[in-house]
Amino acid sequence: MSEQQGCDLPVSVSQAQLACALGVSQRTVSSALNGSGRVGEALRRRILEEAVARGYRPNRLAAGLRGARTRSLGIVWAFSDPWAGDSGIALDISRRFQQQGFAVYQALHDEDTDLLVWRIDDLLGRRVDALVVQAIPAQLSSPAVRERLGAVAAVTVSRESVAGLPADQVVHDRDAAIREVVDHL
């Protein structure tokens, strides 16, 4: 397909640039790529072929700014302790979401509540659709942490349940599990 004059197409092409190159509106390109709207099958196929040929990739951040889902997950976890097995859990969560086409942003957990708030703010600034946060109960009781967890779909992982938390909770207490094993023996 020939380029229209005045259309400068970089390596990473946008919908507007595709539209310019094809001589159609950006809305038509968006409808064709998203499978919505009234776009004839021949034009839809032409747009999809051009998008593939030019290496078009959806801009998840731009979609998030428009209020759409970014298909991204933020995970705050203590990845530094491979012997405890917790890092393996977090990596498995990341792997499973990536296999479903999600972008996964990872942040290292720290017991400093202000740093946890900063890391959650950073992930929320990236417009993640959901958070998985490993934290200690005292951090989850912080009003600042609670406020941020209430802003997005969230799951917390902690040693004990925290009342009134605006997120789903998973209690993961390996100390209790170790005690059960010792008691059993």
Side-chain angles (χ1 to χ4, degrees), residues 24-106:
V24 299
S25 72
Q26 191 272 330
R27 176 175 274 168
T28 300
V29 170
S30 178
S31 294
L33 294 173
N34 293 315
S36 61
R38 294 182 180 197
V39 178
E41 191 53 39
L43 180 56
R44 182 185 312 277
R45 207 172 19 255
R46 190 172 132 223
I47 291 170
L48 292 174
E49 288 171 2
E50 188 71 14
V52 169
R54 304 247 183 217
Y56 169 78
R57 288 194 174 85
N59 183 333
R60 290 181 176 165
L61 183 56
L65 292 173
R66 289 188 306 269
R69 294 177 52 94
T70 59
R71 294 198 44 83
S72 62
L73 170 78
I75 183 166
V76 181
W77 204 274
F79 291 96
S80 60
D81 189 4
W83 298 108
D86 290 357
S87 58
I89 294 168
L91 293 173
D92 192 44
I93 292 168
S94 296
R95 186 178 304 110
R96 288 174 186 252
F97 272 90
Q98 288 172 344
Q99 287 170 345
Q100 295 177 33
F102 279 74
V104 178
Y105 299 101
Q106 298 175 344

